[in-house]
């Protein structure tokens, strides 16, 4: 049970949500305190279990029919009786690990920060929960998915009292949103046929594989362009989204028939996050120490 719950939280993606919060909050307050520690741990594990675990529970039937699902791309329990038992465990564990730290964090800042955190968590649940299912609402699906990762950063900035319109701040979250939307959209390309056969809507089922892959590439380039507005040396980050653009551009002419080929690009995305994350960390260290 415990192993299945951990797998449902997608350990490979933990850092993708914890790092934006930790980096933004630390750069803003310039000290390590209880809020930084609790917030980082919260966005490291409970947040990911809530996001991916709830998704696994309510996407179970469609995931069973999707041959891509399994391993790092979504654990699928084939035995229905066992799945029902583990899904109950996932939902209970999500609630028990999310609510206490979320309530504590909400009490550490002002009203704006509490509302931001509530909206971030609402978006995570609304993406998969029955009756809302933002993931099946084309275009809203990509925006909501992006905010899953940008949300912790925005919350950290609001919590630390940083103005989101600051010249050194708005390009970061604006580019991050474009990057997140591109990543979700491209990830949906590989499932065009499976989603259509299952009656599931997405940005890719509406636009088609080719147009969506091209849109993702354009959004990555747009993220790079936005970062050109950063003051020195932050402007150096503008080169990073281009690595993703180069990867997705390989599928510029993918079709609905060959959409599954885009899985190669998605796997490239998963490992590309590691060196890009390293370079972002190095740049933050440079900025922190004023070395350039």
């Amino acid at each position: 049970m415990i192993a299945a719950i951990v797998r449902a939280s997608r350990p490979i993606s933990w850092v993708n949500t914890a790092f934006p919060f930790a980096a933004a909050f630390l750069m803003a307050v310039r000290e390590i305190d209880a809020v930084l520690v609790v917030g980082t741990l919260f966005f490291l594990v409970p947040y990911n279990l809530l996001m991916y675990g709830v998704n696994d529970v309510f996407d179970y039937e469609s995931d069973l029919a999707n041959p891509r699902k399994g391993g790092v791309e979504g654990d699928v329990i084939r035995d229905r009786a066992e799945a029902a038992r583990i899904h109950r465990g996932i939902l209970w564990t999500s609630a028990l690990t999310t609510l206490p730290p979320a309530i504590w964090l909400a009490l550490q800042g002002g009203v704006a920060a509490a509302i931001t955190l509530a909206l971030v968590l609402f978006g995570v649940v609304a993406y998969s929960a029955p009756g809302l299912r933002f993931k099946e609402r084309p275009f809203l699906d990509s925006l909501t998915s992006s905010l899953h990762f940008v949300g912790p950063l925005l919350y950290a900035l609001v919590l630390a009292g940083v103005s989101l319109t600051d010249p050194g701040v708005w390009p970061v979250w604006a580019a991050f949103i474009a990057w997140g939307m591109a990543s979700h959209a491209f990830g949906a390309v590989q499932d065009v046929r499976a989603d259509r056969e299952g009656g599931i809507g997405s940005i890719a089922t509406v636009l088609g594989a080719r147009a969506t892959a091209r849109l993702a590439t354009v959004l990555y380039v747009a993220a790079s362009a936005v970062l050109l507005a950063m003051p020195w040396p932050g402007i150096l980050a503008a080169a990073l989204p281009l690595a993703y653009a180069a990867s997705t551009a390989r599928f510029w002419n993918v079709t609905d028939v060959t959409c599954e080929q885009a899985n190669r690009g998605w796997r490239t995305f998963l490992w590309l996050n590691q060196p890009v994350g390293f370079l972002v960390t190095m740049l933050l260290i440079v900025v922190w120490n004023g070395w350039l």
Side-chain angles (χ1 to χ4, degrees), residues 56-79:
D56 282 355
V57 171
F58 295 114
D59 279 13
Y60 181 65
E61 293 300 328
S62 61
D63 285 349
L64 274 178
N66 191 335
R68 182 175 65 85
K69 292 296 183 177
V72 298
E73 298 188 57
D75 189 40
V76 180
I77 303 164
R78 301 295 171 180
D79 184 279

Side-chain angles (χ1 to χ4, degrees), residues 152-244:
L153 179 142
L154 291 173
Y155 169 61
L157 294 174
V158 175
L159 183 61
V162 176
S163 172
L164 298 182
T165 60
D166 186 280
V169 173
W170 75 260
V172 174
W173 60 258
F176 200 178
I177 288 176
W179 175 91
M181 291 184 67
S183 301
H184 174 274
F186 185 75
V189 170
Q190 61 197 319
D191 291 327
V192 166
R193 291 204 298 176
D195 284 347
R196 283 178 177 164
E197 291 172 2
I200 299 173
S202 75
I203 187 172
T205 62
V206 170
L207 296 180
R210 179 175 297 174
T212 307
R214 293 179 177 182
L215 175 62
T217 302
V218 170
L219 284 172
Y220 281 134
V221 174
S224 178
V226 169
L227 288 171
L228 290 175
M230 288 286 290
W232 179 266
I235 193 174
L236 294 174
L240 300 180
L242 296 180
Y244 296 93

Side-chain angles (χ1 to χ4, degrees), residues 18-202:
F19 183 84
F21 171 84
F25 193 79
L26 184 59
M27 293 295 290
V29 303
R30 297 277 172 161
E31 66 178 10
I32 298 175
D33 59 12
V35 175
L36 174 63
V37 174
V38 173
T40 301
L41 292 175
F42 172 72
F43 285 110
L44 185 71
V45 184
Y47 182 79
N48 279 286
L49 178 59
L50 179 67
M51 176 163 56
Y52 293 115
V54 168
N55 181 261
D56 282 355
V57 171
F58 295 114
D59 279 13
Y60 181 65
E61 293 300 328
S62 61
D63 285 349
L64 274 178
N66 191 335
R68 182 175 65 85
K69 292 296 183 177
V72 298
E73 298 188 57
D75 189 40
V76 180
I77 303 164
R78 301 295 171 180
D79 184 279
R80 291 180 179 275
E82 181 184 8
R85 179 177 64 86
I86 291 177
H87 287 170
R88 286 194 296 272
I90 287 174
L91 294 177
W92 274 107
T93 305
S94 294
L96 293 175
T97 59
T98 297
L99 288 176
I103 292 172
W104 185 86
L105 286 169
L107 296 175
Q108 304 310 305
V111 174
I115 292 175
T116 301
L117 179 60
L119 289 174
V120 169
L121 295 179
F122 170 77
V124 167
V125 175
Y127 185 74
S128 303
L132 295 171
R133 298 290 287 177
F134 285 3
K135 68 170 295 175
E136 293 190 38
R137 303 178 187 274
F139 302 99
L140 181 59
D141 57 348
S142 288
L143 177 59
T144 306
S145 176
S146 178
L147 291 175
H148 290 344
F149 304 95
V150 185
L153 179 142
L154 291 173
Y155 169 61
L157 294 174
V158 175
L159 183 61
V162 176
S163 172
L164 298 182
T165 60
D166 186 280
V169 173
W170 75 260
V172 174
W173 60 258
F176 200 178
I177 288 176
W179 175 91
M181 291 184 67
S183 301
H184 174 274
F186 185 75
V189 170
Q190 61 197 319
D191 291 327
V192 166
R193 291 204 298 176
D195 284 347
R196 283 178 177 164
E197 291 172 2
I200 299 173
S202 75

